[in-house]
């Protein structure tokens, strides 16, 4: 006999002729299966921030911005933390299909590794080849700007990048100084099945806390080793705390789609904007006093809060509407390509576009030219790179210009079907 179905308001089911009649309640809008516009927008913002940071550090050669510009431009020089946001978003996105299946991976372990390799490695290796080609043809000489940290190139540097082991070496910035984080993220992907197992066997908060704590323990445990003595350890080379950030992103993925009643009640509350404000507020207030790994976790809290606030199943979610601004969604669709090729393009634009015009590094006109003219050119070139070198290897198509209304309608239909299927098994 079918059990009574009670709606979310606690209303009793209808009675007919002395028998209980199950009442089907239309579910609240939930996250659509596929790419999410607000996630792509956050990727776009992080990618554009990284480019802006590298333009700033290129013009002023990693030194602090001097004079009256310091208070304006210094906040644009924390690119490491944009990478931290990427890590959280990656954990969130990869965990969504797993959480929808009760924390069971919809692929085998080998299939997961193959999908990740197919998605990440071909564009990476093509960008590596492009960087080496540009260095060989045009940019092999050290000229002073930020690009100098990628030179000179040795055979060992190339081999380390081919093996995605550059973050384990003192030359993590060689070839292309943005590539260190690609190696770090791929290493986290190797751990993903084990991290999913933790979420399957233990409560969500316990699993998330354990991953975060273990990542901090690893960070300190490795300090006395050769890894701990690497230039840029924790910020621009091997960064163990990123495993914890990835785990926090996984927590967000579970929260966004978990079907259990207490998680649904917590997910639907308006507290996540407060969590986002708290995490980001701590990050801003303590950015000059706390160590980078602690700031990473503050920003991760803020990012998870922002994701869950945007993911709230509501027909009118102003945060989600703002984040699903179509140009940002579009840019987010090829944000990986922006990250891969922006560094050599910044130097190419300066050396062959601005330098012949007499615009020297360390000056405001050079900075404005790179930002106003160079940034759009980099975005356009990145889109072309995406079309030819990344798009063929996508596991799914970007959301593109698909409207939020269409995504919500698809999600509602999927959720309604899930409720009917679940009811038939009771």
């Amino acid at each position: 006999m079918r059990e009574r179905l009670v709606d979310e308001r606690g209303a009793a089911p209808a009675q007919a002729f002395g028998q209980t009649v199950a009442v089907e309640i239309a579910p609240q809008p939930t996250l659509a299966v596929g790419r999410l516009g607000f996630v792509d927008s956050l990727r776009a913002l992080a990618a554009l921030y990284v480019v802006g940071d590298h333009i700033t550090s290129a013009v002023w050669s990693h030194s602090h911005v001097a004079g009256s510009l310091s208070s304006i431009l210094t906040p644009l020089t924390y690119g490491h933390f944009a990478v931290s946001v990427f890590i959280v978003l990656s954990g969130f996105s990869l965990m969504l299909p797993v959480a929808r299946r009760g924390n069971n991976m919809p692929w085998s372990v080998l299939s997961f590794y193959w999908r990740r390799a197919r998605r990440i490695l071909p564009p990476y290796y093509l960008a590596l080849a492009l960087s080496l080609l540009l260095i060989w043809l045009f940019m092999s000489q050290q000229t002073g700007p930020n690009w100098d940290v990628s030179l000179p190139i040795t055979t060992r540097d190339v081999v380390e990048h081919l093996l995605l082991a550059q973050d384990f070496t003192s030359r993590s910035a060689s070839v292309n100084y943005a590539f260190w984080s690609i190696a770090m993220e791929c290493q986290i992907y190797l751990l993903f099945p084990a991290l999913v197992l933790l979420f399957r066997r233990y409560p969500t908060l316990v699993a998330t806390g354990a991953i975060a704590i273990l990542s901090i323990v690893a960070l300190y445990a490795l300090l006395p080793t050769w890894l701990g003595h690497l230039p840029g350890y924790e910020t621009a080379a091997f960064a163990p705390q990123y495993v914890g950030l990835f785990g926090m992103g996984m927590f967000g993925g579970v929260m966004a789609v978990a079907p259990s009643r207490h998680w649904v009640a917590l997910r639907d509350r308006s507290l996540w904007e407060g969590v986002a404000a708290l995490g980001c507020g701590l990050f801003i207030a303590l950015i000059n006093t706390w160590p980078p790994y602690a700031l990473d976790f503050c920003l991760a809290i803020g990012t998870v809060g922002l994701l869950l606030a945007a993911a709230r199943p509501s027909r009118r979610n102003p945060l989600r509407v703002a984040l699903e601004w179509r140009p940002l969604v579009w840019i987010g669709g090829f944000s990986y390509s922006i990250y891969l090729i922006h560094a050599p393009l910044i130097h190419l634009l300066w050396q062959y576009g601005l330098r012949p015009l007499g615009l020297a590094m360390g000056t405001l006109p050079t900075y404005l030219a790179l930002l106003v003219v160079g940034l759009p050119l980099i975005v356009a070139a990145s889109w072309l790179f995406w079309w030819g070198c990344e798009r063929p290897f996508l596991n799914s198509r970007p959301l593109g210009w698909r409207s939020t209304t269409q995504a919500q309608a698809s999600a509602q239909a999927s959720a309604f079907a899930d409720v009917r299927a679940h009811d038939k098994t009771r």
Side-chain angles (χ1 to χ4, degrees), residues 210-231:
I211 294 169
I213 291 171
L214 287 173
S215 71
I216 298 173
V217 170
L219 176 72
Y220 280 98
L222 293 172
L223 278 175
T225 69
W226 60 274
L227 282 172
H229 290 87
L230 292 175

Side-chain angles (χ1 to χ4, degrees), residues 168-426:
F168 290 141
T169 73
S170 60
R171 294 276 297 157
S172 61
S174 64
V175 182
N176 184 323
Y177 54 76
F179 280 175
W180 71 270
S181 65
I182 307 299
M184 182 74 229
E185 190 162 358
C186 287
Q187 290 149 19
I188 295 175
Y189 292 153
L190 295 176
L191 298 175
F192 183 67
L195 300 180
V196 169
L197 189 61
L198 284 177
F199 275 86
R200 190 189 310 165
R201 292 190 174 181
Y202 300 99
T204 302
L205 287 175
V206 173
T208 305
I211 294 169
I213 291 171
L214 287 173
S215 71
I216 298 173
V217 170
L219 176 72
Y220 280 98
L222 293 172
L223 278 175
T225 69
W226 60 274
L227 282 172
H229 290 87
L230 292 175
Y233 177 72
E234 180 190 357
T235 57
F238 188 64
Q241 76 272 17
Y242 276 177
V243 179
L245 270 60
F246 188 87
M248 293 178 69
M250 294 173 67
F251 165 83
V254 172
M255 281 293 300
V257 298
S260 63
R261 185 172 301 174
H262 66 282
W263 283 129
V264 169
L266 184 60
R267 180 176 69 218
D268 292 352
R269 295 183 181 274
S270 299
L271 60 85
W272 298 108
E273 288 87 349
V275 172
L278 175 64
C280 295
L282 286 173
F283 171 79
I284 294 171
L286 301 171
I287 196 165
N288 293 319
T289 56
W290 278 21
Y293 80 86
L295 294 171
D296 280 334
F297 280 102
C298 290
L299 191 57
I301 292 171
T303 304
V304 171
L306 195 63
L307 286 167
L308 292 177
R312 184 181 300 115
S314 171
R315 297 181 186 277
R316 295 182 180 179
N317 187 331
L319 177 61
R320 186 168 180 172
V321 171
L323 285 177
E324 289 187 341
W325 187 45
R326 289 180 176 182
L328 275 182
V329 173
W330 176 67
I331 293 174
F334 59 93
S335 58
Y336 181 45
S337 290
I338 294 175
Y339 190 85
L340 285 174
I341 69 170
H342 75 276
L345 294 183
I346 290 173
H347 187 71
L348 193 68
L349 287 169
W350 173 75
Q351 187 168 340
Y352 292 97
L354 302 181
R355 191 181 184 186
L357 298 177
L359 295 178
M361 286 300 186
T363 64
L364 183 59
T366 303
Y367 178 76
L368 292 177
L370 282 174
L371 198 63
V372 176
V373 179
L375 180 57
L377 290 175
I378 289 171
V379 171
S382 299
W383 181 82
L384 292 174
F385 182 87
W386 170 84
W387 184 266
C389 302
E390 183 182 352
R391 182 176 179 271
F393 304 101
L394 293 176
N395 292 317
S396 61
R397 296 297 183 193
L399 185 61
W401 302 103
R402 181 186 181 192
S403 69
T404 304
T405 303
Q406 289 174 314
Q408 288 181 345
S410 173
Q412 283 182 279
S414 175
F416 187 70
D418 289 345
V419 169
R420 293 181 60 90
H422 177 67
D423 185 54
K424 290 178 181 179
T425 62
R426 293 175 66 115

